[in-house]
Amino acid sequence: MTDEKDHPKGLYEFFEKDPEKADQEFFGRKTNRDRRGFLKGAGLATMGAMIGTAIPFHRNMPAGFIPAAFADQHALTGKDGLTLLNDRPVNAETPPHLLDDPITPTARHFIRNNGVPPEGVDVESWTLTVDGLVDKPMKMTIADLKSNFENHTMALTLECGGNGRAAFDPPAKGNQWTLGAVACSEWTGVKLKDVLNAAGVKDNAVYTAHVGADSHLSGNPDKLPISRGMPIAKAMTDNILIAWAQNGGPIHPNNGAPLRLVVPGWPGSVSHKWLERIYLRDIVHDGPKMTGTSYRVPNRPVAPGEKVDKKDFVIIERMPVKSLITSPQTGSGSSREVEVRGHAWSGDRKVARVDISHDFGVTWQEAELDNPVNDGAWQNWRAKVAFPQAGYYEVWARATDDAGEQQPFAIAWNPKGYLNNTMHRVALTVN
Ligand SMILES: Nc1nc2c(c(=O)[nH]1)N[C@H]1C(S)=C(S)[C@@H](COP(=O)(O)O)O[C@H]1N2
Ligand SMILES: [Mo]
């Protein structure tokens, strides 16, 4: 399977659509079937390896059959109210009204997996290797990180590059995130820049490359599900953590325990989970999901549905200005006066103002906006909205950042459905 390919909604939908192709891609290219469609040879061996044992009655398995063992029943253990978009790999988002807390509880932090998380993670023996273009390659346990570098706790916003993809028309393939692939938990760890400074960044290093312990969906141990990176200048900024704790407790297993990168303001995919290695390179990193059209957008505005040449795609860096209304919940009833509140963020920048409209954008009132608790945290805001009479209303929120960038009405369409930062609208019935 090509690394950039995002299957529609994962294994199940893929098998439904094109069982033969799915068999081929998941269970090995050499898969062949006899006339009745039964799996033989390499495909059968791969399926057996993925299940972990032989399958005595494999001859009875019909074409395009997915063993029930592959369904991840425990994906959302320890999560609260998340919507599962895909179970292999696990992808789950949080409805906006459950993101109302100023700091996102671990149970409400979305999950975006590209592969299968490691099992039997041992915190004591976990190591992080820092090598490549450094003066002193290092290999450290989490205890080493804790004792050798200053520890920091920071609230940091993570948003998936594909958050909002569900609203694209024509639709874009991949997880159909609506609004909830964003969170701002409090992370504890050491600064990436402190670790890189200790290792000594060589003059010719231009990019980081990240490697984690999750495995590729195919089960092929030689393939990484994802390996992204960032320019050295970004890596040396002050608010990037190598974290071992989330909200004062352990990191949730699906959020990257026991160690992960947290790179606020850039696509979530830069924030590598189950982190085992960072190496520095003298070229722009070209690992899985760095190349082709992954986490890339056209270098110019394109019309919805337009075909864009691969060479015209550029890597997404900072995420655009955006806001979310977390209360009241869309579709709810409301009294004549209500407090509307939520969060706003803009990658590598501060949000300067948030404005609220309850008359379809004709008039706007400025919300009360907090400063971020630290650089890289989203900003909380609130506004008292008064409705003139009973009936149907929409409340819209529009953030503007300190560079003057403002949330748009319409999506800047791109083929893979990234960077949708259109205004959030909630529907209210006022009594
Ligand atoms: N090792 C590893 N790191 C990863 C991923 C992954 O699949 N494997 N997914 C990335 C993507 S695309 C996003 S948006 C964030 C999501 O972080 P979360 O699952 O903790 O919310 O993790 C990133 N880090
Ligand atoms: Mo992502």
Side-chain angles (χ1 to χ4, degrees):
M1 138 171 43
T2 57
D3 289 313
E4 290 129 40
K5 197 173 292 171
D6 270 348
H7 294 304
K9 273 186 187 144
L11 199 61
Y12 290 86
E13 191 182 311
F14 193 29
F15 268 86
E16 212 168 276
K17 275 206 172 132
D18 191 345
E20 255 170 46
K21 190 165 166 229
D23 271 343
Q24 242 179 38
E25 296 215 352
F26 280 94
F27 302 126
R29 294 237 162 251
K30 284 194 215 81
T31 300
N32 46 49
R33 291 178 173 280
D34 62 28
R35 240 176 270 111
R36 290 179 305 154
F38 297 124
L39 193 62
K40 301 193 293 193
L44 179 62
T46 310
M47 190 185 279
M50 286 170 79
I51 288 184
T53 183
I55 309 169
F57 287 114
H58 67 84
R59 275 177 219 291
N60 302 345
M61 284 166 62
F65 179 87
I66 311 170
F70 290 172
D72 191 345
Q73 317 281 354
H74 308 293
L76 297 186
T77 304
K79 292 291 179 183
D80 173 27
L82 270 61
T83 309
L84 193 65
L85 300 182
N86 187 353
D87 62 357
R88 188 182 169 88
V90 174
N91 285 284
E93 68 172 333
T94 313
H97 69 282
L98 296 183
L99 287 171
D100 194 40
D101 301 86
I103 299 291
T104 311
T106 304
R108 300 258 170 92
H109 198 288
F110 73 100
I111 302 170
R112 196 291 186 241
N113 292 346
N114 290 269
V116 182
E119 267 174 44
V121 161
D122 179 42
V123 182
E124 308 286 307
S125 61
W126 194 272
T127 57
L128 172 67
T129 299
V130 178
D131 60 359
L133 297 175
V134 296
D135 299 326
K136 284 172 292 183
M138 306 193 292
K139 186 171 183 173
M140 298 158 286
T141 61
I142 296 174
D144 294 335
L145 284 171
K146 284 183 183 172
S147 57
N148 295 348
F149 300 95
E150 202 181 311
N151 295 192
H152 298 270
T153 295
M154 295 172 107
L156 300 171
T157 308
L158 271 187
E159 184 181 19
C160 181
N163 195 24
R165 176 178 292 136
F168 278 69
D169 184 24
K173 275 195 197 148
N175 288 294
Q176 296 300 302
W177 304 109
T178 62
L179 296 147
V182 63
C184 183
S185 281
E186 215 170 59
W187 300 92
T188 301
V190 296
K191 290 187 178 175
L192 174 62
K193 73 163 194 193
D194 290 349
V195 173
L196 292 182
N197 279 332
V201 177
K202 284 197 193 293
D203 288 343
N204 55 341
V206 300
Y207 230 83
T208 65
H210 315 149
V211 181
D214 46 342
S215 44
H216 195 268
L217 284 178
S218 64
N220 181 345
D222 299 329
K223 279 184 168 180
L224 291 171
I226 184 170
S227 173
R228 304 198 69 241
M230 63 193 136
I232 297 295
K234 172 66 181 173
M236 299 305 276
T237 54
D238 213 31
N239 60 8
I240 298 175
L241 293 182
I242 301 171
W244 56 76
Q246 182 176 14
N247 297 314
I251 297 177
H252 186 278
N254 268 308
N255 296 128
L259 197 68
R260 77 170 299 169
L261 266 176
V262 189
V263 186
W266 282 38
S269 51
V270 184
S271 295
H272 217 83
K273 304 193 281 189
W274 311 291
L275 184 68
E276 288 186 319
R277 182 180 176 212
I278 298 172
Y279 60 105
L280 304 191
R281 306 194 62 181
D282 60 1
I283 55 165
V284 172
H285 183 43
D286 55 0
K289 311 246 167 166
M290 278 304 296
T291 56
T293 57
S294 291
Y295 301 104
R296 289 174 176 238
V297 288
N299 58 10
R300 58 174 189 277
V302 300
E306 190 179 325
K307 281 253 174 295
V308 182
D309 201 294
K310 273 200 176 157
K311 70 168 176 24
D312 293 342
F313 282 78
V314 292
I315 299 171
I316 299 170
E317 298 201 327
R318 59 171 288 275
M319 293 292 288
V321 65
K322 196 163 171 180
S323 62
L324 188 69
I325 301 168
T326 58
S327 185
Q329 182 178 357
T330 195
S332 61
S334 171
S335 51
R336 290 288 171 89
E337 196 175 285
V338 70
E339 181 183 85
V340 178
R341 57 176 185 267
H343 319 292
W345 61 94
S346 183
D348 297 343
R349 297 180 188 161
K350 256 179 79 174
V351 173
R353 59 185 291 157
V354 171
D355 295 283
I356 304 299
S357 177
H358 64 280
D359 58 6
F360 304 101
V362 173
T363 63
W364 294 88
Q365 73 182 91
E366 188 170 355
E368 181 191 12
L369 175 67
D370 296 344
N371 277 317
V373 290
N374 53 251
D375 184 23
W378 65 21
Q379 293 165 248
N380 303 303
W381 56 263
R382 63 207 66 78
K384 282 248 180 306
V385 174
F387 303 100
Q389 61 186 80
Y392 175 81
Y393 292 86
E394 286 188 12
V395 173
W396 298 2
R398 182 185 70 191
T400 308
D401 72 19
D402 60 7
E405 184 190 18
Q406 191 168 73
Q407 287 185 262
F409 284 94
I411 294 179
W413 189 90
N414 59 83
K416 296 278 281 186
Y418 294 122
L419 307 180
N420 176 6
N421 69 331
T422 49
M423 286 178 246
H424 184 200
R425 298 152 49 191
V426 302
L428 290 181
T429 303
V430 173
N431 315 297

